[in-house]
Amino acid sequence: MEAKPTPKVLTGREGEPFDLDVCANWTQNYRDRNPGDIVSHFFGREIIEKILAQQGCLGIRVYHAYDKPINGWQRAMVTISNFILKVIGNIEGERHIIVAGAVHDGSDMINTKPAAPVGEPMARTEMATVMTASTSTATADIVAQEALPCPGSPGCPKNVLSTSQRSLS
């Protein structure tokens, strides 16, 4: 993967169709490090379109989140376990988000032939831009990777979703 220069501002062109084989390897790496954990989330087209339809919206940011807080002791244990994994276990790597479309039965749109969903007259090719997701296999489906991880890139917000502060001036 070739390093791209990091832009100073968001343009709406961040992210890219990405090689399916690399995506498969990266998601396997995640599953190996987090056995039994949730591996994906689905958001419906309607809510994504509502978010994108907001005036000035250039894209979607996905946050990692947990529904329950940890206390100081648990935070110390997480720090120690991360140290053990990285220094002693020599386990390194960045977490990535892989984005793929999904159809009516929940199947991911990866290397599939375009087909009309059950009970729907519109073929999937009419709903999606036809592109190539993998350099090795031509397909009508797209998988993508995260474009600009935060923190560490321009455009990273400082708000209640991204900092430990509850109120920001």
Side-chain angles (χ1 to χ4, degrees):
M1 184 167 67
E2 184 178 313
K4 292 182 179 181
T6 304
K8 302 273 187 240
V9 296
L10 299 179
T11 64
R13 293 184 297 274
E14 295 77 14
E16 61 188 2
F18 204 58
D19 184 78
L20 180 60
D21 294 332
V22 174
C23 292
N25 288 334
W26 286 5
T27 57
Q28 181 64 55
N29 295 341
Y30 178 86
R31 291 189 307 276
D32 289 346
R33 292 178 188 185
N34 301 281
D37 206 351
I38 293 171
V39 297
S40 70
H41 291 84
F42 175 80
F43 291 92
R45 181 183 190 115
E46 285 184 22
I47 190 63
I48 291 173
E49 286 177 348
K50 284 180 183 180
I51 292 170
L52 291 173
Q54 297 173 106
Q55 186 174 357
C57 182
L58 294 177
I60 293 175
R61 184 178 314 278
V62 177
Y63 286 89
H64 300 273
Y66 287 103
D67 62 344
K68 295 182 181 179
I70 59 175
N71 61 35
W73 171 250
Q74 292 166 324
R75 191 176 316 273
M77 297 309 302
V78 168
T79 302
I80 292 168
S81 67
N82 286 340
F83 173 81
I84 291 169
L85 290 172
K86 186 173 183 177
V87 176
I88 298 172
N90 198 27
I91 296 175
E92 294 187 42
E94 291 181 39
R95 178 178 282 185
H96 292 268
I97 300 293
I98 304 297
V99 180
V103 295
H104 71 282
D105 67 356
S107 299
D108 285 342
M109 297 172 68
I110 53 175
N111 288 331
T112 57
K113 295 178 182 175
V118 175
E120 294 287 330
M122 186 186 310
R124 200 169 55 204
T125 54
E126 297 170 348
M127 296 185 275
T129 304
V130 176
M131 295 185 74
T132 299
S134 174
T135 55
S136 59
T137 308
T139 177
D141 301 326
I142 301 169
V143 292
Q145 70 157 338
E146 67 181 307
L148 300 174
C150 289
S153 58
C156 291
K158 293 196 180 346
N159 60 43
V160 297
L161 297 178
S162 63
T163 67
S164 58
Q165 302 172 351
R166 285 291 177 207
S167 61
L168 297 169
S169 306

